[in-house]
Amino acid sequence: MFSRLNQVARHFSRPLPNYLHSSAAAPALTATASRAMAAERGKRTINTAGCIIIGDEVLGGKTVDTNSAWFAKYCFSLGINLKRVEVIADDESEIVEATRRMSHNYDMVVTSGGIGPTHDDITYQSIAKAFSLPIVLHEKAYERMKRLSKPHPSQTNFSWDEDSPARRAKLRMIQLPYDESLPDEDQVIFVADDLWVPINVVNGNIHILPGIPRLFEKMLTGLKPRILPRLTDPEGKGVYRILFSTPLAESEVAGYLTELSAKTEGKGVKVGSYPRWGKSRNTVTLVGRDQEFMDSLVAEVEQGVKGRRIQFEGEDDDAGSDKDT
């Protein structure tokens, strides 16, 4: 009896297999296979996207993130389905985990932040570690940096020809994760003649960008011509959205919208309902790609929500009391 109990105890004391680790679930990819997958990933059709905002200052409330909202509109305008936005710390392990996971899950990944000259700007080195890549000082980026950037007024004695802490700090911004087996133009992309900062593309689909909103927006706008041919709709018409204004409370239209959602689901149309606190009217939306079908629903939806189609939210606001949310 005791012998049998001891066998059971030994069985349950054994460590459980780590099924979440890739090596436990499947053989590790060879370096050659991994590079081939990265090359293929950089050419595939873009249907989905993920966004990683990197920065302790965002998590600490010092800086407000606007880049993820801008990227969401960017994706919507191109018909890309933005599936996830994460805000993470300037922490190597978090950057490694998030970039590996999102690169695997989504067709296009954008990171924002952590590529400056200071000690806590660790995005490049962390992503290099995530994909077992070396950090390389990119010569073309270096030449552009010397030509287009200007030393800060406080750096009166700065020289590109002499080693100094300031020069070493600047060079951190062009020391990039780099795969020697892939074409340079697929890894380091310059999108504007007046910018030395490149978009560094890693593992075929991770696009590393600065966190400064003006640069983030300008660089993604400049990247658009490279993205358009890889979209489901190469003309980049994006997704179609129809807005309706309704005086009814959300709870009042919930039943009708449930029926409408079931009716339109097969056509790839999503029905949304958005309360507007303190306003007399709420918003209902239809979002999809089948414009003709969606337009055919307008009269029905206007009647169902006792409202009307509008061009932008708040178009027909008037003074009113708070509503049932």
Side-chain angles (χ1 to χ4, degrees):
M1 176 67 176
F2 288 108
S3 175
R4 187 175 182 83
L5 287 175
N6 285 337
Q7 290 177 355
V8 173
R10 284 197 299 272
H11 173 77
F12 283 107
S13 66
R14 294 172 184 165
L16 293 173
N18 183 6
Y19 292 113
L20 294 179
H21 194 281
S22 59
S23 62
L29 289 172
T30 65
T32 301
S34 179
R35 301 294 186 265
M37 289 182 65
E40 183 276 332
R41 192 178 289 113
K43 305 298 182 184
R44 68 174 56 159
T45 300
I46 299 174
N47 293 301
T48 60
C51 179
I52 307 173
I53 306 298
I54 302 169
D56 293 339
E57 68 276 12
V58 177
L59 291 170
K62 181 180 178 182
T63 301
V64 176
D65 165 45
T66 59
N67 288 344
S68 60
W70 190 91
F71 185 60
K73 295 176 183 177
Y74 179 86
C75 289
F76 188 89
S77 70
L78 295 175
I80 300 171
N81 188 8
L82 179 59
K83 302 288 286 184
R84 192 172 190 87
V85 174
E86 293 186 9
V87 181
I88 63 175
D90 292 300
D91 178 273
E92 182 180 90
S93 62
E94 292 199 23
I95 297 171
V96 167
E97 188 279 328
T99 52
R100 282 177 177 170
R101 171 169 42 81
M102 285 211 188
S103 180
H104 176 75
N105 289 341
Y106 309 121
D107 301 320
M108 178 180 183
V109 179
V110 166
T111 74
S112 163
I115 60 172
T118 59
H119 70 284
D120 58 345
D121 290 310
I122 60 171
T123 296
Y124 283 144
Q125 66 194 57
S126 299
I127 295 179
K129 182 174 182 179
F131 299 99
S132 302
L133 294 172
I135 289 285
V136 174
L137 191 147
H138 194 269
E139 289 296 336
K140 187 176 180 180
Y142 180 41
E143 293 302 318
R144 290 174 68 97
M145 173 187 271
K146 289 193 292 184
R147 177 165 51 89
L148 295 172
S149 69
K150 297 180 180 179
H152 189 271
S154 65
Q155 299 174 312
T156 54
N157 297 319
F158 178 82
S159 171
W160 288 111
D161 300 320
E162 297 179 11
D163 182 44
S164 66
R167 181 177 179 273
R168 290 194 296 271
K170 288 179 182 292
L171 294 185
R172 283 172 54 87
M173 296 186 282
I174 50 170
Q175 291 172 335
L176 314 175
Y178 198 81
D179 186 341
E180 296 286 352
S181 69
L182 297 178
D184 181 76
E185 62 268 21
D186 291 341
Q187 300 184 74
V188 183
I189 303 171
F190 299 97
V191 297
D193 291 338
D194 60 342
L195 286 179
W196 60 263
V197 186
I199 297 177
N200 185 200
V201 183
V202 177
N203 206 38
N205 66 347
I206 299 174
H207 300 72
I208 307 174
L209 288 111
I212 301 170
R214 178 178 58 84
L215 289 178
F216 181 87
E217 295 170 14
K218 181 173 182 175
M219 293 171 73
L220 275 175
T221 299
L223 186 66
K224 190 180 293 186
R226 293 178 64 105
I227 292 176
L228 290 178
R230 297 173 56 198
L231 301 180
T232 304
D233 172 14
E235 296 183 7
K237 294 179 181 177
V239 182
Y240 188 53
R241 174 159 41 196
I242 301 178
L243 287 77
F244 299 88
S245 172
T246 173
L248 303 179
E250 275 201 304
S251 55
E252 187 68 24
V253 296
Y256 168 69
L257 295 184
T258 299
E259 296 175 3
L260 180 64
S261 180
K263 174 181 177 179
T264 61
E265 185 177 6
K267 291 281 192 175
V269 176
K270 292 186 177 181
V271 178
S273 175
Y274 303 93
R276 302 179 62 236
W277 183 257
K279 302 295 182 180
S280 62
R281 306 182 76 85
N282 292 328
T283 302
V284 168
T285 64
L286 301 180
V287 177
R289 296 180 183 274
D290 193 335
Q291 182 173 345
E292 183 178 355
F293 173 68
M294 293 167 65
D295 285 339
S296 73
L297 297 173
V298 170
E300 174 194 331
V301 177
E302 286 181 331
Q303 182 177 354
V305 302
K306 294 182 171 55
R308 71 179 187 88
R309 181 177 182 174
I310 54 175
Q311 297 303 311
F312 58 90
E313 193 170 64
E315 177 183 319
D316 59 351
D317 276 351
D318 54 23
S321 59
D322 289 352
K323 66 203 178 330
D324 169 17
T325 59

